[in-house]
Amino acid sequence: MLSERELAFIAIHKDSYPSVLSFVRRRVESMEVAEEIVADVFRVVWQKWGNESRSDVAWLLTVARNLIGNAYRSRDRQQALQEKLRTTAVQRFGEESENVVVQDAMARLRGQDRDILQLAYWDGLGPAEIAGVLQCSESAAKVRLHRARAAFRKHMPAGAEPITQRMGA
């Protein structure tokens, strides 16, 4: 049996979700990112829910705007890190080195694919450990790793087969 709090939250979620999603979607680069941010909006609402809780759309959109700002800052930090890694690789190994080719391919991947490849190859984790980090089943981690390897292979230039073979891609 659902409590009054749960029923009220479900009603607010049902009534407000389309508006919040529309607001967020217009401000971010993908539906996937928008859905993650909207889920976080309602997580915040649930966590702050009390007797005097605000649940009007204006407050929900304010929470969404703040989370969008956080997402942009996070994205900008990630891009700066990728640029720094590439610059360092170019300085150490030269523009045409395997390291730079790999950096460029990694930079073109979706964040999720890049993360799972980094867990596997940079952090040396196996599927069971990756599953623990990603909070998914080992089977799901294996599938995600397989898909990330395939995406990586697509972003590698022709003639880079030795690199992709070493990565199991």
Side-chain angles (χ1 to χ4, degrees):
M1 188 78 171
L2 297 175
S3 69
E4 283 184 41
R5 177 181 188 241
E6 292 167 327
L7 292 171
F9 178 80
I10 290 168
I12 287 169
H13 185 275
K14 181 180 175 186
D15 293 342
S16 305
Y17 185 89
S19 299
V20 176
L21 180 62
S22 177
F23 175 85
V24 173
R25 182 62 188 109
R26 289 190 308 270
R27 289 162 175 79
V28 298
E29 64 272 7
S30 72
M31 181 57 91
E32 180 180 79
V33 171
E35 289 172 342
E36 287 179 23
I37 291 172
V38 173
D40 283 342
V41 167
F42 286 100
R43 179 189 47 81
V44 168
V45 169
W46 179 256
Q47 289 172 339
K48 295 189 181 277
W49 194 273
N51 292 335
E52 300 298 319
S53 292
R54 287 185 63 187
S55 58
D56 56 284
V57 173
W59 182 68
L60 296 174
L61 298 183
T62 300
V63 172
R65 188 187 67 221
N66 293 338
L67 292 173
I68 291 166
N70 292 345
Y72 279 132
R73 285 186 290 279
S74 177
R75 183 202 62 201
D76 292 347
R77 283 190 303 271
Q78 183 70 25
Q79 287 175 342
L81 175 61
Q82 292 299 325
E83 290 171 15
K84 183 177 180 179
L85 289 171
R86 187 183 194 287
T87 300
T88 301
V90 168
Q91 290 171 348
R92 289 184 71 196
F93 305 107
E95 185 73 38
E96 301 300 320
S97 73
E98 283 185 356
N99 290 339
V100 174
V101 171
V102 169
Q103 282 292 335
D104 290 345
M106 292 289 282
R108 289 186 206 102
L109 293 174
R110 292 181 321 145
Q112 293 173 327
D113 291 339
R114 187 173 39 250
D115 290 344
I116 198 165
L117 290 173
Q118 288 172 341
L119 288 170
Y121 296 100
W122 293 7
D123 300 318
L125 302 183
E129 296 161 316
I130 292 171
V133 171
L134 299 179
Q135 298 180 339
C136 64
S137 70
E138 187 172 346
S139 297
K142 288 178 182 178
V143 168
R144 290 179 190 178
L145 183 56
H146 173 76
R147 290 178 180 160
R149 286 175 177 151
F152 176 79
R153 189 172 40 252
K154 288 179 185 175
H155 291 294
M156 290 297 289
E161 287 80 21
I163 298 170
T164 55
Q165 287 172 353
R166 283 196 304 257
M167 291 187 69

